[in-house]
Amino acid sequence: MRLHRLDITAFGPFGTTQRVDFDELSAGGLFLLHGPTGAGKTSVLDAVCYALYGAVPGARQSGQGLTLRSDHAAPATRTEIRLELTVAGRRLEVTRQPPWARPKKRGTGTTTEKAQTWLREYEASAGSWKDLSRSHQEIGEEITQLLGMSREQFCQVVLLPQGDFARFLRADAEARGRLLGRLFDTHRFAEVEKRLTERRRAAESEVRDGDAALLADAHRMQQAAGDIAEMPLADLAPGDPGLAEDVLAWAAVARVTARERLALAHGAVSAAESAHAAADLELDDVREVARLQRRFTEARERAARLEERSDSHHETQTRMDRGRKAEAVAPALDLRDEAEAEHRRATTAEAHARAALPASFADAGAAGLAADARRAAEELGGLASARRAEARLGELTEERAGLDRQERADEDVLQDAESWLATWETTRTGLQARIETAQEAAGRAERLAVRCETAGARLRAARGRDQFAKDTDDAQQHALASRAHATDTRARWLDLKEERLKGIAAELAAALVDGEPCAVCGGTEHPAPARKIAGHVDREAEERALAVHQQADEKATEDERRLGVVREALAAATAEAGDTPTGRLAEEAAGLEREHGEARAAASGLHAARERLAQAELEHGRRVAARQQAELRVASRVSHRDTLDRERAVLERELTQARGAAESVAARAAQLERRAALLTEAADAVRTAEDAAQRLKDADARLADAAFRAGFSTPQEAAAALLDDAAHRDLQRRLDAWQSEEAAVRAVLAEADTTAAARRPAVDPRAAEQAAESAARRLRDAASAQDAAARRCAELDRLSARATTSVRRLGPLREEYDRVARMAGLAAGTSAENERRMRLESYVLAARLEQVAAAATARLQRMSSGRYTLVHSDDRAGRGRSGLGLHVVDAWTGRERDTATLSGGETFFASLALALGLADVVTDEAGGVRLDTLFIDEGFGSLDDQTLDEVLDVLDSLRERDRSVGIVSHVADLRRRVHAQLEVVKGRTGSVVRQRGVQD
């Protein structure tokens, strides 16, 4: 990924549009981004991140939305970030505009516009840009896929926040794991741990449920067996030895006993079925004879009831026939009712329209009313010219009043201008005097500022001189004490060494073996070997004394080095401060500060005085111009007033003739408009009433003809015979019911079986039913006993089979539970087999941390001149878990120690190496995306000159294969060493950027 160009508008501290040309800055590989605190250096990096991901880094995410907008921007300027870059071989341009509260185009207040995003790609073949998308989601997915990393990874890999990695360097394992987990996305391994734990719980639950289900089936079998069980079920509990064997054995005995009871029940059911079949045959025969006898009797009764209702049936038939004839007259009846209703409405409308007219029009016909309406309209048209004249007269009156108001306003302007101009010379002289006084104070303040700075530097040097003098005394005492202790330990070591040499023969004699040659004389006989005396010094004691001496010597050397450093600092401070006491320098600096403050206070009014004079001169020009313009308007207003008076007299004569007796022309026009409208309405109502009367007459004639043709004497008789839908359905239902009943009665009386049964004596069905019920009861009892025995056998067979299946299933489940529980314990770090109690996710992160430490060491050794090496440690911290420790190996001492023991400068370049190493590993993890542009934010101020050179050499090596690195720092020395610079300058109207390339 390479950045080419960045445009920032109304974003953060930038009130106007600022452009950053990264191609020019990257020409030399390294470039510097500097400026005063609060100018907006970090805002440039925020803009890059916002353009790519639509959000700013880390804790500054709360600055999104409307708060991203610059407070210095003009209300009509919209916040916009445009970034041009090359990634994955494609040249893209991303433009983002956050939500914006812009001023309303109409009225006051603001309205919020939604966020906008554009993505374009440059096509080299066509030499133009091609639009790709305007969707926030699509653009975000495209950028993330091309870069191969999330926003958090981008901020850690490309922007390299040094403060975060200093914390990461000293963090505990838990905090370090959270950061690595976000960067390397290892949540899937945590999900594996969670899934294994869930599987362990599920397997344990299944085994427990299996034991409980087996015991539940055993109790169900005991309930199903009831009183036939020959032996009781043993009192068992989950986990008892032999539980499955006892349950299966008891179930086998219960099944055999139940089958014997089932065979006896089968015989009893067979005998009861034979008796029940004979009783059912007898009952069926008796019931059939009784049914036929009842059927014949009911048919005779229904025939008698039909005969009684014959007259009513004939009357219903007659009414139905007349209703069918009247249906032919129904359309004419409906037409006549509609014509009558229309005639009534037209008559009412005519009466209403005539009531609104004068009495002279009470008997007028439609033609006369229409003629009067046309005459009123013609007279109304003749008043158009008079209307315009009346409107013009109103305009002339208003214009005449306006001239009077202007005349009064011009008089006020002339009077005010004369009054202000009379004091102009005095005002100008006073302001010029204030400016000269403030200018003198400003020059004096500049001279005093130089003296204050010099005095402040000497005061600071004097204070440092006093502190270094004290530190020198302390360091000298420590150095003398350390050197004396080293001398004592050396003497002790030499004494022990001399004592050992004196007794070396005893050590040699201790290794002698009979028959083997001596290491000193070569003899094989050892007649009188030397013996160790009390207080003998051995090799181990000598080596311990030597180690104590070496440690004391190293400490003395370190204390002497510190003493030299403090003495050099004391000499530098004394050279700058001189021999003047610190108190006297403080008094001189305070006096200069007071004088400088007074001069600055006096000079602070220079800008205000200049602006006041400029405003006064502008006001003087405005007053003179206003007086001249007012005099011109007064001269031209006299002739305009005479012209208006002459035109007004002509219009008043014309209007007096046009309005007649009315108050105005408009009132006369309104009278004519109402009269024409009423006459037109009345003429239309008269015509409508005449047409409705003719249609009613025609409808009466057609109705009388239709009634005569249908066989009715009058239309009223036909209307009375007409049936509605409900009456028609009721009559038809009654006729259909009569016909159905008559056919059914004749059919029953014609049946041969029914007639034959009627001739037989009456039968007694009750006695036959009682005999059949007794046989059925005996059969039910036998069948119930058989069903109970069969259900008992089936239930015992089902429960026994299920118990057998449960026993077979529990074996593999228990094995599965043991295997899953072992894997879950290993993954969670709780198993005894996991010696370091390392979780699966921590194990993966530890492998990543080893890669990061190896990549960081390659640069750290170069920055530290080969002294330091970062190593990953999986030691346990107390009783806690292990896996994410980070130590530093000091080549000077050969010891491994905690990273928290590093000094400030060492911490900076160690964290920088760690950040660069992590960037390399995350880049490889993201698919090897090439990062051609990197930023390093702050931290260089803690380095000495030599270390700074080594760090810059490492950073300079990053630009191999056309890679560029941007440094964000306050360090002044970097401005001399790095030629390509981007300076951010802050001001009252917002910050601006100034760019300087390598060739500038």
Side-chain angles (χ1 to χ4, degrees), residues 910-922:
S911 62
L912 174 59
L914 183 62
L916 295 175
L918 186 60
D920 292 342
V921 176
V922 172

Side-chain angles (χ1 to χ4, degrees), residues 743-894:
V745 168
R746 285 199 298 270
V748 171
L749 294 178
E751 294 175 354
D753 294 343
T754 304
T755 305
R759 298 192 187 99
R760 293 176 58 181
V763 296
D764 186 6
R766 182 60 183 168
E769 290 174 356
Q770 290 176 352
E773 289 176 358
S774 178
R777 188 166 49 255
R778 290 192 296 275
L779 177 60
R780 285 195 300 272
D781 293 341
S784 297
Q786 180 186 3
D787 291 343
R791 286 194 301 273
R792 184 184 297 113
C793 288
E795 184 67 10
L796 289 174
D797 290 343
R798 183 182 66 82
L799 293 174
S800 297
R802 192 163 75 174
T804 303
T805 303
S806 298
V807 171
R808 293 173 180 171
R809 184 174 59 86
L810 278 176
L813 284 178
R814 194 172 299 280
E815 294 177 0
E816 173 71 12
Y817 166 69
D818 294 339
R819 183 169 61 256
V820 171
R822 179 171 177 268
M823 293 179 63
L826 286 172
T830 58
S831 172
E833 297 176 329
N834 192 335
E835 296 179 358
R836 296 190 177 277
R837 299 182 63 192
M838 188 183 296
R839 293 173 49 235
L840 176 61
E841 185 180 14
S842 298
Y843 177 77
V844 176
L845 290 177
R848 291 289 187 265
L849 188 56
E850 287 183 356
Q851 298 175 359
V852 172
T857 296
R859 296 185 175 91
L860 179 58
Q861 288 184 339
R862 186 174 178 182
M863 293 181 189
S864 62
S865 300
R867 179 179 180 182
Y868 292 118
T869 301
L870 281 175
V871 295
H872 159 251
S873 172
D874 58 1
D875 294 336
R876 292 173 57 180
R879 296 186 178 181
R881 300 183 178 182
S882 60
L884 296 178
L886 194 62
H887 290 170
V888 62
V889 177
D890 191 342
W892 290 7
T893 63

Side-chain angles (χ1 to χ4, degrees), residues 342-425:
E342 185 180 357
H343 181 261
R344 285 196 300 271
R345 289 194 297 270
T347 303
T348 302
E350 179 185 2
H352 180 72
R354 287 184 181 277
L357 295 175
S360 58
F361 296 101
D363 298 328
L369 293 173
D372 289 339
R374 286 193 298 272
R375 285 192 294 271
E378 292 173 357
E379 185 178 354
L380 177 63
L383 293 178
S385 176
R387 285 183 175 182
R388 290 191 296 272
E390 189 173 41
R392 176 57 181 163
L393 181 60
E395 295 174 357
L396 291 177
T397 302
E398 181 62 28
E399 191 172 354
R400 185 65 169 77
L403 291 177
D404 295 339
R405 288 192 298 271
Q406 292 175 6
E407 184 174 4
R408 291 191 296 272
D410 286 341
E411 290 176 355
D412 294 339
V413 169
L414 290 173
Q415 184 178 0
D416 184 55
E418 292 294 342
S419 175
W420 192 90
L421 292 173
T423 61
W424 162 240
E425 292 299 332

Side-chain angles (χ1 to χ4, degrees), residues 547-598:
V548 171
H549 165 62
Q550 289 174 345
Q551 292 178 358
D553 187 63
E554 289 178 0
K555 185 174 185 305
T557 301
E558 178 63 21
D559 289 344
E560 290 171 354
R561 186 191 64 81
R562 291 179 180 174
L563 175 60
V565 172
V566 175
R567 283 175 173 173
E568 291 178 1
L570 175 61
T574 304
E576 184 176 357
D579 297 330
T580 306
T582 305
R584 181 178 176 184
L585 291 177
E587 293 177 358
E588 292 178 357
L592 290 174
E593 287 290 341
R594 285 194 300 273
E595 293 180 13
H596 179 251
E598 294 172 356

Side-chain angles (χ1 to χ4, degrees), residues 689-702:
E690 292 174 353
D691 294 340
Q694 182 61 41
R695 284 193 293 273
L696 177 60
K697 183 177 180 181
D698 296 340
D700 287 336
R702 285 193 292 272

